[in-house]
Amino acid sequence: MPEFVLRGEDTTTTCYACPVLRGWMLVGALATGCGFQPQAGTADASVDAPDADPSNDQDHDGIVDSLDNCPTVFNPDQRDHDGDKRGDACDLCPHIATLTDTDTDGDGIGDECDPRPNQAGDHVVLWEGFYDASSITGWIPGGAGGDWFWQNGTLVQQIASSGERTFTAPNSYQHIYVATSFVVGALQTGGLLGFCSGVASPQQYCCVLDQSGPTLLVTTGGVPVSTPWPSTFAPDDHIQLVQNTATNNHCDASTSSGAHAAVSSTLAATAGKLDLYAASAAATFDYLFVVEIGN
Ligand SMILES: [Ca+2]
Ligand SMILES: [Ca+2]
Ligand SMILES: [Ca+2]
Ligand SMILES: [Ca+2]
C-alpha cells in the first residue's frame, strides 16, 4: 500500500548519499523550496540496548526517548528517509533534510515543502519512500507500459526504448502539490526524451523534456507553457520535480549538478490522478511527497 503520513515499518538500510551530494541537497532545498534526497532509511540496532530504561519511552514504541527519532510518536521502525535525525513519522518534510522544521502556518507541513507556507489548511495525502514492495500496490502502468517495479527502496522503470511510459496512482487528488526525485537511467535517442510527474487527468504534468533541446514544460490540458532548461540528460543524473498547483501550476526542476529552472502556466490545475512518466528513458524514483492544497 502507499505510505501515508505517520505510518510505516523500516526494512531499508540503503544509503547512497555522499558528502558532496548532501551539500548540494541542502543548497537545493534552500534555493528551490524543496531538495532532492536520496534513500536514507535507518534503523539503529542499538535502540534495544539491554540497559535502556523503559520508563523513559513516552510513546511506548520500545525505543527510549533519548534514542527515539520521534520521542512522542509511535514509530518502532525509526525510518528517516532524508537522514536528518527526525523520523519520517514526525518530520514535517520527510524528504528534505532541514535543520529547523519551521512550520509558519502551523498546518503540520514544513515551510520547505508547504505549497502555501503562510496559509494553513494543506495536508499531506501521500508520503511514499518506497520502503517495501507493497508501496506500489494499485498503481497501473499505462501508455507504452514499461517495466515498473519496486527494488531496494526505489521505484524503477527500466525500459529505455522509445515510448511514453506512465505509472498511475490508484487515487485522484485535488489541487495538488507533488515532489518527486529520480535518477536517470539508460537513454534512447531519436525520439521524445524526458520525465514528468503530477496530475495527469486532464494532462497537467510538470515535465523536463528534450524535444528540440531540453525544455522545462508544464502542460495545461493541451496548452503547454515552457522555458529552456539549462541541462541535458545523462545516466546517473539526479533530478527533482515539484509541481504546485497553488501557484498557477508551477513547475520546478533541479538537478544535483546545479541546473534549475521553473515555469508557471496561466491555468491552474484542478484534480486528477497522479502519474509518473518517462519517455525514451529508464529512471529510478526515490520518493513521492503529495499534498492536497486547501481552499
Ligand atoms: Ca517514537
Ligand atoms: Ca527525517
Ligand atoms: Ca505549514
Ligand atoms: Ca500551508
Side-chain angles (χ1 to χ4, degrees):
M1 292 294 294
E3 185 174 345
F4 291 85
V5 208
L6 307 184
R7 73 148 277 244
E9 58 277 18
D10 194 10
T11 57
T12 302
T13 56
T14 304
C15 179
Y16 52 81
C18 65
V20 172
L21 180 57
R22 285 206 170 275
W24 173 84
M25 289 182 324
L26 179 58
V27 171
L30 293 173
T32 68
C34 285
F36 168 83
Q37 303 299 335
Q39 186 75 35
T42 59
D44 186 351
S46 68
V47 296
D48 290 326
D51 60 348
D53 180 356
S55 66
N56 292 329
D57 178 17
Q58 58 183 308
D59 58 16
H60 307 294
D61 62 5
I63 300 155
V64 295
D65 291 354
S66 61
L67 298 173
D68 193 336
N69 61 18
C70 293
T72 62
V73 179
F74 183 87
N75 66 327
D77 55 72
Q78 296 289 286
R79 283 174 170 168
D80 178 16
H81 194 84
D82 56 17
D84 65 359
K85 309 300 184 186
R86 289 182 179 81
D88 289 0
C90 62
D91 193 331
L92 301 186
C93 295
H95 55 306
I96 301 174
T98 57
L99 300 177
T100 58
D101 255 4
T102 301
D103 179 16
T104 300
D105 58 17
D107 63 2
I109 303 172
D111 287 0
E112 290 86 352
C113 61
D114 191 331
R116 305 181 305 171
N118 298 305
Q119 187 172 348
D122 310 315
H123 62 285
V124 178
V125 292
L126 177 65
W127 159 240
E128 184 53 73
F130 299 119
Y131 287 113
D132 55 57
S134 66
S135 63
I136 57 174
T137 299
W139 287 74
I140 301 171
D147 188 7
W148 299 85
F149 57 91
W150 176 89
Q151 183 178 65
N152 298 328
T154 61
L155 170 65
V156 178
Q157 196 294 107
Q158 70 172 358
I159 298 177
S161 57
S162 292
E164 299 183 7
R165 310 185 186 285
T166 58
F167 201 49
T168 304
N171 300 317
S172 291
Y173 298 103
Q174 303 280 337
H175 305 294
I176 202 170
Y177 171 101
V178 57
T180 189
S181 73
F182 55 90
V183 179
V184 177
L187 303 172
Q188 176 166 299
T189 58
L192 174 66
L193 172 63
F195 310 89
C196 306
S197 70
V199 174
S201 179
Q203 284 196 343
Q204 292 168 328
Y205 291 130
C206 169
C207 302
V208 279
L209 296 174
D210 189 349
Q211 298 179 109
S212 56
T215 297
L216 180 64
L217 176 76
V218 180
T219 69
T220 54
V223 186
V225 178
S226 62
T227 190
W229 189 52
S231 185
T232 56
F233 298 117
D236 298 327
D237 282 351
H238 297 250
I239 300 177
Q240 187 202 46
L241 286 176
V242 178
Q243 181 190 31
N244 183 0
T245 67
T247 51
N248 284 334
N249 204 9
H250 190 74
C251 177
D252 186 296
S254 56
T255 74
S256 54
S257 58
H260 174 246
V263 64
S264 292
S265 78
T266 55
L267 299 175
T270 54
K273 293 203 171 187
L274 174 66
D275 264 7
L276 300 176
Y277 172 107
S280 305
T284 299
F285 291 83
D286 184 49
Y287 64 77
L288 271 171
F289 178 79
V290 182
V291 173
E292 281 194 328
I293 301 161
N295 295 318

